[in-house]
Amino acid sequence: VTDEKRLRYHGDQFFLKTAEEMRAVFGEFPEAMANTVRIAERCDVTIPSGEAHLPNFQVPAGFTVDTYFERVVREGFEARLVRLRQSEAAGALRGPLADYETRLAFEIDIIRRMKYPGYFLIVWDFIRYARERRIPVGPGRGSAAGSLVAYCLRITDVDPLHFDLYFERFLNPERVTLPDIDIDFCERRRGEVISYVTEKYGRDSVAQIITFGTMKAKAAVRDVGRVMEMPISEVDRVAKLIPNQLDMTLDMAVADIPALAELEKADGRVRDLLGVARRLEGMTRHASVHAAGVVIAPRPLTEFVPLYRSQRDDGELTTQWAMREIERVGLLKMDFLGLKTL
């Protein structure tokens, strides 16, 4: 804050002026004034939502996406039947095998009606790639474990009928949202799977997703303390009084911790520190790459979403919109999670 060079701009005119204020400044150029209005009126952009933009999965000749999907599922079911029959013979199967056939037909019908066979083939394909290269893959997590189709495709390794898991928690025609299957990969080799997907669907159609770090209570105090050039020991003393609790705010900390409230009351510098930190709290601090999210588009991503080149040495491209915006415009987001335990 003591560095005078930080203020590159001088004056009091750095604000958005009203039409009247602009006329006072540029009154001798009425045509230029009118043109700015004409340009503004011609700017009319509607970002559509509600339509899914799924990548195009190439199927072998003689198949449609629907017929190839059913064939792959049925082949997977035949492979699973070997184990199921063994369980039946041992008396460990919780219901008749006919229940599996009924459930499978039901799920295939729902997935087809919701137009998601391509989605399942995309996930099946890159998981198959990982397994073929002995990249450890998790057994499945979340609502996707309720799908027998996912079990037959080896997307999951959990038998949903054995554990009474509901398919409707995963896909439901009355709540039309893109499926969301989280897949765990070995942390060390997760990048190989992302590289495979990038090569298969095109470098201009695949990117990781941006995420925005915000100023949490402790971070705001430490950042402001550094700018105010307070001794690190003093800033540490204040920061350590803020509880390590999810969604903790400075107001909550002052209300809950008497020592912090007393410090703010007694020390003018701490009062200034917390005052500035309160105004910054919750604001976006920096951009980084989402830990798991990867977006795959049917055409170059620049047709759907702005892109951002990271400031790191590799200059990696990510989407400029975060995860919720990506989902809102109907782009396919996949979670490639890296786990040490795999």
Side-chain angles (χ1 to χ4, degrees), residues 42-182:
R42 288 171 64 184
C43 292
D44 181 16
V45 176
T46 302
I47 298 175
S49 62
E51 181 187 353
H53 303 290
L54 294 174
N56 303 309
F57 186 85
Q58 296 297 317
V59 297
F63 288 96
T64 65
V65 170
D66 281 7
T67 58
Y68 188 63
F69 163 71
E70 181 157 8
R71 173 171 170 172
V72 171
V73 171
R74 293 284 176 187
E75 286 176 351
F77 183 52
E78 287 301 317
R80 292 292 193 189
L81 273 175
V82 176
R83 186 73 174 270
L84 291 171
R85 287 189 180 117
Q86 290 173 352
S87 297
E88 186 181 42
L93 204 64
R94 293 188 63 177
L97 277 175
D99 288 355
Y100 284 83
E101 180 57 52
T102 303
R103 171 75 166 261
L104 193 65
F106 166 75
E107 288 192 19
I108 288 172
D109 178 59
I110 293 289
I111 291 165
R112 277 178 156 178
R113 279 198 282 138
M114 295 183 78
K115 297 183 170 53
Y116 291 148
Y119 173 87
F120 279 86
L121 287 172
I122 290 164
V123 180
W124 161 76
D125 176 65
F126 66 69
I127 286 182
R128 181 187 59 170
Y129 170 86
R131 293 190 195 280
E132 285 174 355
R133 277 148 189 80
R134 303 182 69 80
I135 299 171
V137 182
R141 66 157 85 204
S143 60
S147 170
L148 185 61
V149 163
Y151 181 60
C152 293
L153 294 175
R154 287 206 71 193
I155 293 170
T156 64
D157 270 323
V158 179
D159 178 349
L161 272 71
H162 182 77
F163 293 102
D164 288 330
L165 303 178
Y166 293 107
F167 175 70
E168 289 81 3
R169 272 198 67 215
F170 172 55
L171 275 188
N172 189 330
E174 294 180 17
R175 183 175 57 88
V176 180
T177 54
L178 275 170
D180 188 14
I181 301 176
D182 295 341

Side-chain angles (χ1 to χ4, degrees), residues 6 32 71 74 91 112 119 132 163 185-186 201 210 223 227 239 267 272 275 285 291 301-302 328:
R6 80 185 191 283
R71 173 171 170 172
R74 293 284 176 187
R112 277 178 156 178
Y119 173 87
E132 285 174 355
F163 293 102
F185 294 103
C186 160
Y201 298 100
I210 205 166
D223 277 357
V227 170
D267 190 327
D272 290 344
R285 184 184 187 278
L301 278 164
T302 47
R328 197 181 303 154

Side-chain angles (χ1 to χ4, degrees), residues 215-229:
M215 290 272 222
K216 303 295 183 188
K218 281 195 178 199
V221 165
R222 293 189 187 281
D223 277 357
V224 173
R226 189 163 52 247
V227 170
M228 291 174 68
E229 297 176 335

